Amino acid sequence: MRSPTLLVAAFVVTGMGILTALGAAAPESVLARPLPQLPAPHLGAGAGVLLVGVALLARALGRRRLLLLAAGLAALLGLVSLVRVSWFPAPAGTQAATSAAALLQLPTVAAIGVLLAGLGLLAPALMPRHRLAAVVTGSTGSTVALLATALLVGRLSGFLGTTATSAYTNVGASLYVLLALIVMGASLIRMAAGLDQPPAPSGSSWFPVATGIATAVTVVFIWRALVDNESDRLAQEMELASRLTAANVRNEVERLSNGLERVGRRYTEGSALRDSLLTAYMSGLVRDSVQALDAVGWQAALGADGRPTVEVLPPDSPDASTLRDLVRQENALFAPAVRFHALPDESARFALAVPLCGEAPCSRSLATLVDARALFRGLLADSLSAVHVSIRLDGTLVVQSSGTIGRADGAYTRDIDFPPGQQRWSVSVVPTSATIARAHSNLPNAVLVLGLTLALVLPLTLRLAETSWSVAADGERARLNAALESATDSLWVWSVPANTLERSAVLWKRLGYPAPAGAVPMAQWMSLVHPKDAPDVLQAMTRHATGASELIELEYRVQGADGRWHWLVERGRVVERSPEGGALHALGITADVTERKNADAALEASERKYRAVFDSASQMQALLDKEGRVVEMNPAGLVSNGVGRSGVAGAYGWELPAFRGSVAVREALLAGHQRGLARQSTSVVVRAENTDMGAITWDLSLTPIADADGTVVQLLLDARDITARKNAERALVELNNLATMGRLTARVAHEINNPLAGIQNSFSLIKGAVAKDHPHFRFVGAIDREIARIATVTRQLYETYRHEPESGSAASVDTVVSDAVAFIEQVNRQSRVRVDTDLRSAPPTVPFPDALLRRVIYNLVQNAVDASPPEGTIYLRAFEERGIFHLTVRDEGSGIPDEVRGRIFDPFMSTKGAEHRHGGMGLGLALVHGSVTAFGGRVSVHNAPGGGSQFEVSLPLQHPPEGSEST
């Protein structure tokens, strides 16, 4: 994940490295030293800071190779610089140098910071997901940040010195480097907090360790800086003391040499007066003015042997021999200038030789022994309280103050050329014990002891605090787990970097597994998740970890130890994130809802069954609330009411369209509603006479539905339209009656038909024997007609029970209608009734037997003739419509009363009175009805709007299937 914070830090560190390089390239500019308390930038330090900046940038962008290269070079540069500083220190003032060697010798703080920053960046790259990486990165970051901050504050406050050109300047670093180190350390600390690492045991994070290391390193560095600061101040004091002492030595030596040179210039060779003056001067004036002179010797004149005579004052001086040798040596050298001679006897004396020139050329020399203690008495006395002084002439010790012997530590030496370019005096200054004691305080040691104590105590304190916090958290978690164990819930903790899960023991117990000690890998838990649910679980957790969702909300299946699947519902969220925004830990709760899921599944199955039964029922079913309003109705009920669901919702059950207008249904349902509220079922059959859909017979039932407490909350209304069933029951009774009557009439017809045939045959013989002039001849025709009528009635009675098979497969409509109408008109010519036929839309032939069509037309037209008034008109119409043959016969009679219209097709049902010539037994319409229905047709009758009755016959033009004939 790209970290914006780390990117900003990388750019800041890189910018500081560039400023350091620019300041080193222009050491005299304001850019080099914006603060005078801090030293000028070092080019090598700038290079190290730049390398660390590049490494931070590579870390932020995820470029591992660039990170390893830049961090490795930075760590190597810091290590080489520390080695050079420790074993090959450079002179003071080389930190701003730009030579190749100086580039490798960074200031100490810069070298330490660059080395530690490089190591801190390398650790997580080389040891990913290892706990040691977090410790190294956190420790190095804490050390760098704390060390740089302490040094910056110490230098700015003057606690660690304020001079940028002090002797320990190489320990310090420029302002840009210190600021870069602070940013580096903070970045490393933030990295350590977000590193992918395994979960640490309770109270064992990297922070206490890093804090202890950083504190210890910083304390040691500050202690060393304080010690160096005191040494620097002492060195400055010794530098000043050496300069002052060297100036005093030069003054004394010059005063002495100048006085002796004046004596030499006064001397004139061969002059006794000059000798006396010299003697007097040397013995009085010179010795009085220069108390340091022990003896004086000079060459006065040549002796008898030709050798120069050397005179010594005082004559009894124990150093006379030394002076004579020195004068002769100087004469031999013939040196025209003042010369100093160190004596090897370490008697705190030295010799001084000057030429005796006067007005003539210099030919002789004057030498004197000088008491160095007397000459430098004031200098040695003044220096006893602060420093020890040693004075040397051409490397030979001349004199030194007491306590200086054997002291070479902390010595500061300054050389004096006198005369210039010839002989060298040198002065060495060593601080006294009092001066050293005054310069070195107990502050550094106190800081070291207290700091190391703090470095030891602080990690322990932090570790104790972490442990206490962890124990408190574990205790709280244990108490929460204990509280949850009585329920179905449990806790879980997801360590995102380590990708591990820690779950409460109560859940493992529910699943039938032994509770593991601590967290388990995510892969182990996912192996228990149902394969169909696993992708959704991982996706939901990943989305929340990356910030794409606010919560983790899951419902999935986990396999228990017994192989059964448990339903779990989980809810949680990330409770800790790294400084870069990465998820570290997520906390949540789990509930085992297996029992609820099973109950829901059973309820859902029951609901499906109920819904299937409810929706597939062929009768009207409706759920009513306690007030009797419709809550829901099945499709059959909606069809019965002729409305949609919105048309019945909220309507009272007894006011539904199917029941509207029926007082009997309303009263029955109201009574059933009251009984239902009293938890009593109701079942009743009610005939609704005045509904919009005509007379309907309803089988009604109201069943109460109670909740768990036994309170009635709903009523189930079941309404069955049993009109057809009731009609069928009545028809069945009538058919049974008809069958009984048919069997009886057939038997009667059979019993009558046999003797009737004998009577008819016998009467045929008899009527031939009766003459026409016989007085009773007129009864012969009447008897014959009555016998024929009895035969016709007998045949009709027989056909009522058993139809004879029809012959023929098709009939001509025009022929059948014409023959039937002509026959009927001829038979009924006395009534003068006219038959008006309309066959324009009729088919030429119909697939019905000729006898069937003749029977239908003859009976219907004959009935119409019987019902028509004299000179009336009968309207017969035949036509085809949608594959159905229609035949209508309408008369102009008085119509059929309502009370008998429903029974007009019943056998033996006749509306003809005695006045009708062809009044029969009421079997004609029954025969028509039976024949038509046997061929799958339908016969109906209704009163015509203009008066009279109209019969309608509908026959399909296709033969009905076998076995479809019915009575």
Side-chain angles (χ1 to χ4, degrees), residues 8 57 126 178 227 313 340 367 372 466 583 602 620 634 721 757-758 826 896 919 963:
V8 173
L57 184 62
L126 296 176
L178 293 178
V227 172
L313 288 178
F340 297 92
E466 278 190 349
M620 181 197 309
N634 68 339
D721 183 357
Q826 180 63 28
I896 301 174

Side-chain angles (χ1 to χ4, degrees), residues 573-589:
R573 69 189 316 161
V574 172
V575 296
E576 183 181 0
R577 291 187 178 271
S578 67
E580 289 78 14
L584 296 180
H585 294 92
L587 180 65
I589 191 170

Side-chain angles (χ1 to χ4, degrees), residues 734-735 737-739 741-742 745 797 800-801 903-910 921-927 929-930 967:
E734 293 176 355
L735 288 176
N737 294 335
L738 180 61
M741 292 298 295
T745 54
L797 288 174
T800 300
Y801 177 72
R903 298 182 289 117
I904 194 66
F905 297 108
D906 294 346
F908 308 109
M909 177 61 191
S910 177
M921 298 177 62
L923 296 176
L925 292 179
L927 290 174
H929 183 271
T967 57

Side-chain angles (χ1 to χ4, degrees), residues 541-553:
M541 299 183 74
T542 303
R543 281 176 51 81
H544 180 65
T546 56
S549 61
E550 295 183 358
L551 289 173
I552 299 176
E553 293 182 309

Side-chain angles (χ1 to χ4, degrees), residues 759-781:
I759 294 172
Q760 189 174 15
N761 293 331
S762 300
F763 182 71
S764 295
L765 295 176
I766 292 174
K767 72 177 182 179
V770 179
K772 294 182 178 180
D773 55 354
H774 192 280
H776 300 292
F777 182 77
R778 64 181 185 276
F779 296 108
V780 172

Side-chain angles (χ1 to χ4, degrees), residues 363-387:
S363 59
R364 291 183 292 177
S365 299
L366 180 144
T368 181
L369 297 178
V370 182
D371 185 355
R373 292 186 180 278
L375 179 64
F376 302 120
R377 181 182 298 112
L379 178 62
L380 296 176
D382 292 338
S383 63
L384 289 178
S385 60
V387 294

